[in-house]
Amino acid sequence: MSESMSLRPRRRFWGWGNLTDELLPQEQATIDGIMQLLGGASSSPPPPQESDFTLAAPLLQPPASLAPCFSNSTYDRLAHSYGKSFADVVRMWNRSVPNPPDWVAFPQDEQGVADILDWAARENIAVVPFGGGSSVCGGVEPDVGLSYRGVVSLDLERLDRVLEVDRISRCARIQAGVLGPDLEAQLRPHGLTLRHFPQSFQFSSLGGWIVTRAGGHYATLYTHIDEFVQSVRMVTPQGMLETRRLPGSGAGPDPNRLVSGSEGVLGIVTEAWMRLQDRPTYRASAAVLFHTFDAASTCLRALAQSGLNPTNCRLLDSAEVAFAGVGDRSSPMIVLGFESADHALGPWMERALELVRDHGGQYDPQAVARSMQAAEADDAGEHRKGAAGEWRDAFIRMPYWRDPMTGRGAVLDTFETAITWDHFADFYAGVKREMQEVLRRVTGRAAAVSCRITHVYPDGPAPYFTYATLGTDKNDLASSLAVWREIKLASIDVVTRLGGTVTHHHAVGRDHRSGYERESSPLYRAALAAAKQSLDPRGILNPGVLIDPVDRVVGITGAVGPFPAA
Ligand SMILES: Cc1cc2nc3c(=O)[nH]c(=O)nc-3n(C[C@H](O)[C@H](O)[C@H](O)COP(=O)(O)OP(=O)(O)OC[C@H]3O[C@@H](n4cnc5c(N)ncnc54)[C@H](O)[C@@H]3O)c2cc1C
């Protein structure tokens, strides 16, 4: 076996973070407390090691011309076997990796990507594009069925540079494999920011964001990455698809929108011109508590429809504030924030607080005043002081808690959606009620389902639900996976049946296909499949994700198992 060819700091192939990352003592204490409440195991077994795995030998050899950028080291194959969903982590902790990629390719440049696709198309080899590998819906799993000679995970980590900055139009040409912190570090000397901060910012890439239509941390106006894509270059098995740099165009259906959300099934995005913003210098934030969730959500709608466009406008229900340990740990809370590189925000905040008061919201005026004073920004360009900052710190650290809890038998996951305001109240109550029943039925235990609204639009919110429970047997990770699977399928059913979308920003991947097939028109999916047929006629790109290639039996298993036929 060869050495790893990744040039990045070594990540945990079995969970979130770099190998050397540690839990903070207070986080360990919180995890112990939660595990005690859940009744899980009192300590975690050792996390997986490379030596725990014996992977099947690769089924194929790359040609000599491409071999220098191909790795079959155990670490590289393990690190590209799954994304970072609960099911991915639990399967790793269970030492279960039946479908590793035969090889991992690290092309140096765009030509390298094109050469690999040419070879793969000729040789009937499936190619799974890999950015940061933070997919939570089976998007990077090389589980492609038996109709291919083998499968290569194609990692874009070496395409990681900002190539050109157009200060006049405030845009930059950026390679797709760059991860969030590195991208922001390259833009900072220009005084610019992409200002797209998903919770997975540290370990997710520009290309991954574009093709999954990722949602950033900001709650209104620019929420999805789509808004920032000016033009893209995508290598397909049939050649280069490039869109034009324009601020807007009415010439036919927008080709950028065909690429956004394509999840690696139409081509591999190698670079994009992205719209940037000046780094914000004015900030204001408030944490607002409400007596009832109804009052808080009505206020949220008023804020969303006010035209004030707060950058942060996030509602946490009682269960969520308790879980995140923020606010007074029990009252529904809105985290409200404004930012600007251009103007002081007093009038905006003042009007927003008037709306808050109209709906019975309570806040600390002195904390709001303090938040408006100059504050240092962290790497993500964020204001970290006050309750809003406190909440954000907890939010960024949460993924680190999941791995040790998974090892101790916990089953914890999230599901996210969007719905119009007219249906929201019934939807929220219905999802919480039905999912609590599902959790009780599947595990035999009561468990809370918490909700935060991550993004708000004038016409509706994007609610994000979290649950934590225990598998049927705390020492058996296979039982955790079975429990998760049943809850996952139920959540897809409940959310789509009650009128929401199967995903607001986590994408479809493999795991959400049953919901996608329920909510999208068969005619639309046929049109998409025809587009795929034009760009990838042999169906080698990311089989099993989003839509099936025409005339190809993919027959994947994946984390949720076979999904119903369309
Ligand atoms: C802890 C955690 C928090 C998260 N928080 C958020 C959040 O706040 N907002 C959000 O939107 N998502 C979030 N996600 C989900 C995930 O981070 C996003 O889907 C992200 O956009 C994936 O980017 P990536 O580079 O890691 O892509 P990957 O996981 O590597 O790939 C995702 C999909 O895109 C394809 N792909 C990747 N790169 C390319 C490319 N260059 N060309 C073509 N196809 C490609 C892959 O084949 C796969 O189907 C979170 C995930 C985790 C684990």
Side-chain angles (χ1 to χ4, degrees), residues 56-312:
L59 293 171
L60 51 98
Q61 291 297 321
S65 59
L66 297 176
C69 71
F70 273 60
S71 164
N72 71 347
S73 77
T74 302
Y75 171 80
D76 285 337
R77 292 177 76 199
L78 286 171
H80 293 77
S81 290
Y82 293 125
K84 298 295 176 198
S85 71
F86 173 82
D88 299 335
V89 173
V90 82
R91 285 181 292 174
M92 272 299 178
W93 278 75
N94 207 22
R95 280 62 170 172
S96 169
V97 182
N99 300 300
D102 292 293
W103 293 85
V104 181
F106 296 91
Q108 290 290 353
D109 51 26
E110 191 176 84
Q111 188 56 50
V113 174
D115 293 344
I116 293 167
L117 287 192
D118 282 350
W119 165 70
R122 272 196 316 274
E123 300 290 331
N124 184 31
I125 292 159
V127 176
V128 178
F130 192 99
S134 68
S135 168
V136 279
C137 55
V140 291
E141 192 170 334
D143 175 15
V144 299
L146 298 174
S147 75
Y148 298 88
R149 276 191 52 218
V151 54
V152 169
S153 180
L154 191 155
D155 190 320
L156 289 138
E157 70 160 49
R158 300 195 182 176
L159 282 73
D160 65 350
R161 282 178 308 122
V162 172
L163 298 172
E164 213 175 322
V165 174
D166 167 0
R167 195 68 185 76
I168 297 174
S169 320
R170 230 178 44 180
C171 303
R173 182 159 72 94
I174 306 169
Q175 289 185 303
V178 67
L179 299 184
D182 193 12
L183 168 57
E184 286 297 324
Q186 293 183 60
L187 293 176
R188 191 171 298 119
H190 302 276
L192 294 169
T193 171
L194 179 60
R195 211 163 158 276
H196 180 75
F197 303 118
Q199 190 188 30
S200 54
F201 175 74
Q202 272 181 288
F203 301 111
S204 53
S205 68
L206 175 66
W209 298 339
I210 293 174
V211 302
T212 61
R213 305 185 61 202
H217 173 59
Y218 295 108
T220 68
L221 209 55
Y222 303 124
T223 57
H224 279 114
I225 190 79
D226 315 17
E227 311 303 331
F228 300 122
V229 178
Q230 189 186 54
S231 74
V232 285
R233 279 173 72 85
M234 182 167 81
V235 180
T236 81
Q238 293 296 90
M240 178 63 73
L241 191 149
E242 183 171 15
T243 65
R244 286 191 62 202
R245 279 193 68 199
L246 290 167
S249 164
D254 183 347
N256 287 333
R257 298 280 172 164
L258 183 67
V259 175
S260 306
S262 60
E263 301 194 30
V265 307
L266 300 182
I268 298 185
V269 174
T270 49
E271 60 180 62
W273 273 97
M274 300 298 294
R275 301 185 175 110
L276 305 174
Q277 298 184 58
D278 294 312
R279 299 184 74 78
T281 43
Y282 298 93
R283 297 189 174 86
S285 71
V288 185
L289 304 187
F290 291 84
H291 290 302
T292 65
F293 184 77
D294 260 4
S297 62
T298 312
C299 179
L300 195 73
R301 173 157 61 87
L303 288 164
Q305 294 177 343
S306 66
L308 291 167
N309 292 320
T311 48
N312 224 325

Side-chain angles (χ1 to χ4, degrees), residues 465-477:
F465 296 92
T466 301
Y467 69 86
T469 184
L470 206 60
T472 45
D473 178 342
K474 62 187 170 192
N475 294 317
D476 175 7
L477 292 172

